[in-house]
Amino acid sequence: MNIAIQSDAVNASLIVTVLMALLAVRALRRFLDLPTRVPHLNRLLGWIWVPGVAFFALSYLVGWKANLGDELYFLFAYAVVVAVLIRVRDYRPARTLLLALAPLVLQAIAELLTLLNGGLFKTYNNVLESAQGFALIWFITFVVIAKNQKKRLEAERLQHEEEEKVRRQMEAQNAELERLVAERTATLQQQTEELQQALTELKNAQAQLIQSEKMASLGELTAGIAHEIQNPLNFVTNFADVSAELVQELEAEQRSPTRNSALEPLLLQDLRQNLEKINHHGHRAASIVRGMLEHSRAQSTERQPVDLNTLADEYLRLAYHGLRAKDSTFNASLLTELAPAIGQVEAVGQDLGRVLLNLFTNAFYAVQKRQQRQPVGFEPTVRVCTRRLPTGAVQICVHDNGDGIPEAVRQKVFQPFFTTKPTGEGTGLGLSLSYDIITNGHNGTLTFETEQGQGTEFVVTLPGPA
């Protein structure tokens, strides 16, 4: 009777273990999403109860000792769970559950000790029970950790799905935008061609205006050259006429029956002085022509040593005489403060001369307009000075005592086609071209300081030797 009762208790324990194994497999399937990750292994786990039934039958047929079938089935179920976790170890919560099951090895050891040597199990029964308690705490802790990990991974998965959804929406929007762009391309292409044609026409117009500005500068330069060379030529003509008269007087004196021996040396001395002056002014005219020929050679972008003081002085006088050729009543004071220590600088002489000519022409124009507005009590003055800075850079300053630049237009001074001159008197390209020549062509700066009613000073700064 006692044996029957004991057998029923063992079988009941085995049934409980099988049910626990089924519950563990069910929880494992849901927790690790086994139907999706390992569908084949998931189907095999549905038969985990079969070994329990086999052990249940063998316990009757073979007559195993107490709890043997239960212990064997526990070891089997434990091994299956561990194998499943190893199979899906790439999933982080599965690795955490493996750590959670690690201390349960002690319980498996206890089961093996029970099977192999019941006395040894009794000897270490207290130790094993304490270890099993610790293993249970360990198991619960890591199960909680694994659950939290799964929540985080699930949140990350949902976030990834949301991002993927947004990405697909963006791709759809991009496709729609590309379609719209493709539809607009044909229209824009036609508009582009029309704009290109308009741009070509605008460039042609700009080229014509630039050429007009160059021709205007050339006209100023030509007028200045003509006026500058006219002075030595007038001297040559006048002294030649006087010399011819002296020769006639000398010939008449030589034919006179009462020759004055003291008069002939005086006439010869005057004739010699006139010839010296003719020679001097002839060389002066030749130097002017030679200098202008040098400046009118084919334009080169190569920098060469240029005597800055000589260049500034020549173009100052050429600009002045160019304006006087148009208005002979105009007079102005020319002040030069040219530092002798500057010497020669590396520059494109023709381009730099064009800049100086523009600055001088604008300065004379400003003082001329103020003189016309204020004819009494105003003395037109244009001053040019050169100096070398401590950094090695060289400056050219052009100052006039005109009306100054109005504050409203100071920001537009260097803009192309902007001018304060009346229509027909300027193209608005002089200062713009000068700014480009200095900044882009010579790596320098072109600035100005102005005061309303007091005048304006433009400052050209050229960098020193590298």
Side-chain angles (χ1 to χ4, degrees), residues 366-376 378 401-404 453:
V367 296
Q368 182 189 34
K369 290 303 180 183
R370 182 173 180 181
Q371 185 185 42
Q372 293 174 355
R373 183 179 56 83
Q374 186 181 342
V376 179
F378 172 70
N401 61 344
D403 289 325

Side-chain angles (χ1 to χ4, degrees), residues 173-389:
Q173 292 176 355
N174 290 337
E176 180 66 16
L177 288 175
E178 289 178 358
R179 185 184 65 81
L180 294 176
V181 169
E183 291 178 354
R184 292 284 296 172
T185 300
T187 304
L188 292 177
Q189 185 66 29
Q190 182 179 359
Q191 294 177 353
T192 301
E193 293 176 357
E194 295 175 356
L195 290 175
Q196 187 65 36
Q197 182 178 358
L199 180 60
T200 302
E201 295 175 356
L202 178 60
K203 287 183 177 179
N204 293 335
Q206 288 178 345
Q208 292 176 0
L209 288 174
I210 292 174
Q211 186 64 25
S212 299
E213 176 65 24
K214 291 181 179 179
M215 294 304 295
S217 298
L218 182 60
E220 298 285 346
L221 185 61
T222 302
I225 294 173
H227 195 281
E228 183 73 9
I229 204 172
Q230 187 65 41
N231 288 332
L233 289 178
N234 288 336
F235 279 112
V236 169
T237 302
N238 293 333
F239 283 116
D241 293 339
V242 173
S243 298
E245 293 177 358
L246 290 174
V247 170
Q248 291 176 358
E249 291 181 10
L250 183 60
E251 291 176 346
E253 186 64 29
Q254 289 178 347
R255 290 192 300 268
S256 175
T258 57
R259 296 175 61 181
N260 187 351
S261 59
L263 181 60
E264 291 182 7
L266 294 176
L267 293 175
L268 290 174
Q269 183 180 359
D270 291 341
L271 183 61
R272 184 181 301 106
Q273 291 177 352
N274 287 348
L275 291 175
E276 289 176 354
K277 292 180 179 179
I278 289 172
N279 182 66
H280 170 74
H281 289 289
H283 281 88
R284 170 60 181 162
S287 67
I288 294 173
V289 173
R290 185 169 53 253
M292 292 305 100
L293 287 175
E294 290 179 356
H295 293 308
S296 63
R297 287 180 303 181
Q299 184 175 0
S300 173
T301 58
E302 294 183 1
R303 300 185 188 181
Q304 298 177 351
V306 175
D307 191 328
L308 196 61
N309 290 338
T310 301
L311 194 70
D313 184 67
E314 287 182 356
Y315 277 95
L316 174 65
R317 301 186 186 283
L318 290 175
Y320 177 61
H321 293 313
L323 184 58
R324 277 183 52 81
K326 297 179 181 179
D327 182 6
S328 58
T329 62
F330 173 73
N331 290 288
S333 298
L334 307 183
L335 304 180
T336 57
E337 300 175 8
L338 308 178
I342 285 186
Q344 293 186 334
V345 296
E346 294 290 331
V348 181
Q350 186 177 11
D351 289 348
L352 190 56
R354 181 177 299 170
V355 172
L356 293 176
L357 184 62
N358 284 329
L359 296 180
F360 292 142
T361 301
N362 287 343
F364 285 122
Y365 180 85
V367 296
Q368 182 189 34
K369 290 303 180 183
R370 182 173 180 181
Q371 185 185 42
Q372 293 174 355
R373 183 179 56 83
Q374 186 181 342
V376 179
F378 172 70
E379 182 180 357
T381 304
V382 174
R383 177 172 56 89
V384 57
C385 65
T386 59
R387 56 175 174 263
R388 186 176 291 276
L389 302 179

